[in-house]
Amino acid sequence: YVSPTLHQKYIALVCDPAFFWVSNLSPFWAMLIEYSRFRAQEHNEAFSLHLAAPAGTDASPLQDSLWADIQAGRVDGLIAIGLDIRAAEWLEDRGVKFAAFAGPGPYSVIMDGDELARIGLRELLRRGCRRIALCSGIAPHRHLEKATVPVET
């Protein structure tokens, strides 16, 4: 007998629970989780979703069971979404390699804001909009850069 999970990769997604406490939750998060589950199934990977300890607590940002899996070498990848600097430093101090989205980390997953603006602006122009403004927050872990986004009409 050979286990079907013998060479299976294990990917863990760790989220700041605050993303799920807001009343106007973006559909992006549900899509991300569903896509992650779908991708894991398609590639014979194990996938788990975990909530981190709330920001501002002194506790470990990871659930004990996930930390045990990481220490035992059972986790091949960790994606951290929205974790604060304390949690990122906690992971780095323990040698945990992870990719960060919407938070600080040694490796970052970022959206191409220029392309996002280009696509959005093209669509608004196509729909006849002519007085367009962009209101966007700046994540505290990102540097503000002045940029222009050329758009072909």
Side-chain angles (χ1 to χ4, degrees):
Y1 171 78
V2 177
S3 170
T5 62
L6 181 63
H7 297 289
Q8 187 177 52
K9 298 284 186 191
Y10 177 16
I11 308 300
L13 184 67
V14 180
C15 300
D16 180 335
F19 283 119
F20 300 99
W21 292 339
V22 294
S23 60
N24 57 347
L25 182 64
S26 167
F28 170 79
W29 303 110
M31 292 183 332
L32 174 68
I33 292 167
E34 277 307 304
Y35 177 77
S36 298
R37 289 177 53 200
F38 173 77
R39 185 195 183 286
Q41 183 178 17
E42 290 292 308
H43 291 88
N44 192 32
E45 297 168 339
F47 169 76
S48 62
L49 172 64
H50 304 269
L51 296 179
T57 63
D58 290 333
S60 159
L62 301 182
Q63 297 168 355
D64 292 340
S65 61
L66 176 58
W67 179 235
D69 284 345
I70 291 170
Q71 287 179 306
R74 290 187 291 267
V75 175
D76 296 293
L78 184 68
I79 303 170
I81 300 179
L83 300 187
D84 64 6
I85 188 71
R86 181 198 59 85
E89 289 173 349
W90 188 94
L91 292 168
E92 288 184 79
D93 289 348
R94 285 153 182 81
V96 177
K97 302 290 186 205
F98 66 98
F101 181 77
Y107 306 99
S108 294
V109 177
I110 58 172
M111 289 190 277
D112 184 346
D114 291 349
E115 186 63 15
L116 179 66
R118 237 181 250 106
I119 291 169
L121 188 53
R122 265 193 218 112
E123 181 60 21
L124 290 171
L125 290 170
R126 185 186 73 74
R127 292 177 181 220
C129 299
R130 295 294 176 252
R131 296 174 57 160
I132 301 168
L134 173 64
C135 300
S136 174
I138 299 172
H141 61 279
R142 297 277 180 237
H143 299 286
L144 175 63
E145 295 177 11
K146 185 175 181 179
T148 59
V149 180
V151 175
E152 298 172 14
T153 57

